[in-house]
Amino acid sequence: MTTESKGNISSQKQHLRRFLAVQALFALDSSADPAGTLRLLADDWELLGFHGDELEIDDETASQLPAISAEDCGAAVQWAERVWSHLDQVDSLIAPCLRGWRLPRLDGVDRAILRLCFFESRVEGSVNDAVAASEAVILAKAMGGEQSAKFVNGVIGSIMRGAGQ
């Protein structure tokens, strides 16, 4: 199994944690109580003992996800908290590339995916741009609407081209 920059955590586990982090970011975006929202989400994930095939995603993606452990829940919540604490910085990276759109008007899932992508690659620097972009498009295909993957890919490409990459 391949690994990413997170040491010995498999890319499959990292994908699962990103999936959960996007769900958490989506929930945070519509919550008046962010701390309470994250606590409830983590409790629900762990209590229900989700497996990939029980999540609301396509069968192919679900069959590739491992069971969600308490460690995965905690990691996803921490990830979402870190993104949320840098939200102004992350959003300032995304907003200039939204031709004809404003960030609040984006689909909530697309917005959450873009936020995680640019937090990882540009703010935290924990993964390179190619990994962040690839994961974002995969997440958009699995979680977003019919045009989400194309839209997310276009925004990411615009930002990365603007940075000389």
Side-chain angles (χ1 to χ4, degrees):
M1 199 171 275
T2 61
T3 59
E4 288 183 18
S5 63
K6 298 288 183 191
N8 62 357
I9 299 173
S10 74
S11 61
Q12 188 179 37
K13 275 288 196 187
Q14 284 299 98
H15 180 70
L16 173 67
R17 290 174 179 185
R18 281 185 184 99
F19 186 93
L20 295 172
V22 167
Q23 286 185 333
L25 287 168
F26 179 84
L28 283 170
D29 216 9
S30 59
S31 172
D33 177 20
T37 297
L38 287 177
R39 236 183 348 272
L40 286 172
L41 262 177
D43 289 348
D44 285 350
W45 289 332
E46 192 173 346
L47 243 162
L48 296 172
F50 275 137
H51 288 71
D53 58 357
E54 295 166 337
L55 298 169
E56 292 182 21
I57 54 175
D58 63 89
D59 291 341
E60 182 180 341
T61 303
S63 68
Q64 298 171 17
L65 294 176
I68 297 172
S69 68
E71 184 180 354
D72 296 326
C73 296
V77 165
Q78 288 175 358
W79 221 338
E81 287 172 332
R82 290 194 318 271
V83 173
W84 205 251
S85 71
H86 291 87
L87 201 58
D88 290 341
Q89 184 180 4
V90 172
D91 286 354
S92 72
L93 292 169
I94 300 167
C97 296
L98 300 175
R99 296 181 198 122
W101 288 89
R102 290 183 312 109
L103 198 58
R105 295 233 6 197
L106 295 185
D107 175 79
V109 172
D110 295 350
R111 187 171 47 245
I113 291 168
L114 288 168
R115 285 173 167 167
L116 180 60
C117 173
F118 288 101
F119 174 76
E120 279 192 280
S121 67
R122 297 299 170 98
V123 175
E124 194 173 62
S126 57
V127 298
N128 67 42
D129 288 344
V131 170
S134 175
E135 276 293 313
V137 170
I138 291 168
L139 288 167
K141 286 179 182 177
M143 301 174 79
E146 191 175 310
Q147 298 296 316
S148 289
K150 288 171 80 172
F151 177 77
V152 165
N153 192 44
V155 173
I156 292 167
S158 178
I159 292 172
M160 292 183 182
R161 278 189 305 278
Q165 297 190 13

